[in-house]
């Protein structure tokens, strides 16, 4: 079966600095893959390359067997790739409902005249978008917050809203950048359950960057480990932390060691 996403010997340099080198891996349809590694390992750079935010320096990125590395971010969204960000990016002054509606407008098929004249077509589409946004918010257990301004939501809820907005783009591939960052243990359990739910309901393929090992071990069938821009290991979640290269990568950095210890303690 054709993988949904394939990276072939991808390299990314910034000026003289090599952020990623010789990165190859495949992600099959409906899989949940973990992308882990110490700070600065190159995880977010991979998301930026797959979504077209950065151009690759060399190599190839294939989506459903077709190269996407020359495409613009909006074209890649239309091909079915959506993401969330490590630093949450919401329309902070809009309500929760309007944040989700904003992501649903990309598929709305009305023109400026429909909007100005408020035609029947416009009104129907507006109603459909409103309904779809509310359904998504209910699924993500955010329905009680629809009228709240986004920046008044607690941090964990803002992260959930970001995922809801990404789902509004109807992705086939969802890239989650630290979805559990800043969450308390109860919220972490909740986000794991919600990711499981949307994964099966929307038949998604997901790549997760996360420092919380509980998230990785609970959700991911396969884990890719990066260190200093190189892939140092790949394997099942329950085995990867026993890999000597992975242990060395994490223990070689005392800050990260602390972070990893905390993550395991939260398990
Ligand atoms: P973290 O866990 O801290 O988020 P990461 O694994 O996601 O780290 P990246 O953000 O991908 O790491 O960064 C990988 C390397 O690329 C780092 O050395 C970083 O400084 C560098 N880098 C990333 N983006 C840029 C950029 N726009 N310009 C220059 N260097 C960059």
């Amino acid at each position: 079966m054709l993988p949904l996403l394939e990276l072939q010997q991808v390299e990314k340099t910034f000026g003289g600095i090599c952020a990623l080198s010789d990165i190859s891996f495949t992600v099959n349809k409906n899989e949940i893959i973990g992308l882990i590694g110490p700070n600065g390992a190159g995880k977010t750079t991979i998301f930026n390359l797959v979504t077209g935010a950065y151009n690759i320096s060399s190599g190839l990125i294939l989506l459903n067997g077709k190269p996407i590395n020359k495409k613009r971010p909006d074209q890649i969204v239309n091909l079915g790739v959506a993401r969330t960000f490590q630093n949450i990016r919401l329309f902070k002054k809009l309500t929760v409902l309007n944040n989700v509606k904003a992501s649903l407008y990309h598929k709305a098929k009305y023109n400026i005249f429909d909007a100005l004249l408020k035609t029947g077509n416009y009104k129907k589409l507006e109603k459909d978008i409103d309904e779809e946004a509310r359904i998504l918010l209910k699924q993500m257990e955010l329905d009680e917050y629809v009228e709240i301004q986004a920046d008044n939501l607690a941090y964990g809820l803002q992260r959930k809203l970001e995922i809801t907005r990404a789902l509004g783009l109807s992705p086939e591939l969802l890239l989650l950048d630290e979805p559990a960052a800043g969450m308390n243990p109860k919220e972490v359990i909740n986000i794991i359950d919600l990711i499981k739910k949307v994964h099966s309901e929307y038949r998604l393929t997901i790549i997760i960057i996360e420092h919380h090992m509980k998230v990785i071990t609970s959700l991911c069938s396969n884990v890719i480990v990066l260190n200093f821009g190189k892939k140092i290991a790949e394997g099942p979640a329950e085995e990867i932390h026993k890999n000597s290269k992975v242990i060395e990568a994490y223990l070689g950095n005392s800050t990260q060691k602390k972070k990893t210890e905390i993550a395991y303690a939260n398990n």
Side-chain angles (χ1 to χ4, degrees), residues 4 20 58 69 75 104 125 137 148 180 184 190 200 215 220 250:
L4 178 61
L20 289 173
S58 66
N69 41 282
Q75 293 173 317
L104 290 168
L125 279 164
L137 285 163
I148 305 282
N184 65 38
N190 177 253
S200 72
V215 176
C220 303
Y250 275 97

Side-chain angles (χ1 to χ4, degrees), residues 100-192:
V100 180
K101 282 169 79 171
S103 74
L104 290 168
Y105 279 115
H106 86 283
K107 40 188 180 182
K109 299 261 184 298
Y110 59 74
N111 58 39
I112 182 88
F113 298 106
D114 283 326
L116 285 172
L117 301 172
K118 298 209 183 328
T119 60
N121 182 34
Y122 167 85
K123 282 182 188 154
K124 180 172 182 318
L125 279 164
E126 277 292 310
K127 189 166 164 278
D128 291 350
I129 284 173
D130 190 85
E131 273 172 17
E132 198 176 337
R134 287 173 195 274
I135 290 168
L136 279 173
L137 285 163
K138 192 163 173 45
Q139 270 170 333
M140 290 298 285
E141 297 169 4
L142 288 171
D143 44 330
E144 65 182 286
Y145 306 103
V146 283
E147 295 308 331
I148 305 282
Q149 194 172 295
D151 62 355
N152 287 333
L153 284 181
Y155 193 63
L157 296 175
Q158 290 192 23
R159 286 221 170 270
K160 275 166 69 170
L161 180 54
E162 256 226 324
I163 299 175
T164 317
R165 279 171 44 83
L167 291 174
L169 296 169
S170 309
E172 189 176 4
L173 175 63
L174 179 63
L175 309 177
L176 300 175
D177 201 341
E178 300 198 28
M183 288 187 173
N184 65 38
K186 204 172 147 204
E187 289 173 321
V188 172
I189 305 273
N190 177 253
I191 199 76
I192 290 170

Side-chain angles (χ1 to χ4, degrees), residues 38 224-228 230-234 243 245-247 249:
I224 292 156
V225 191
L226 300 180
N227 194 24
F228 293 118
K230 290 200 162 62
K231 185 173 102 174
I232 58 164
E234 178 171 357
N243 181 304
K245 282 188 185 164
V246 177
I247 294 167

Side-chain angles (χ1 to χ4, degrees), residues 14 19 38-45 54 86 211:
F14 295 102
N39 296 113
K43 306 177 295 293
T44 300
T45 301
Y54 294 165
Q86 200 175 327
H211 291 291

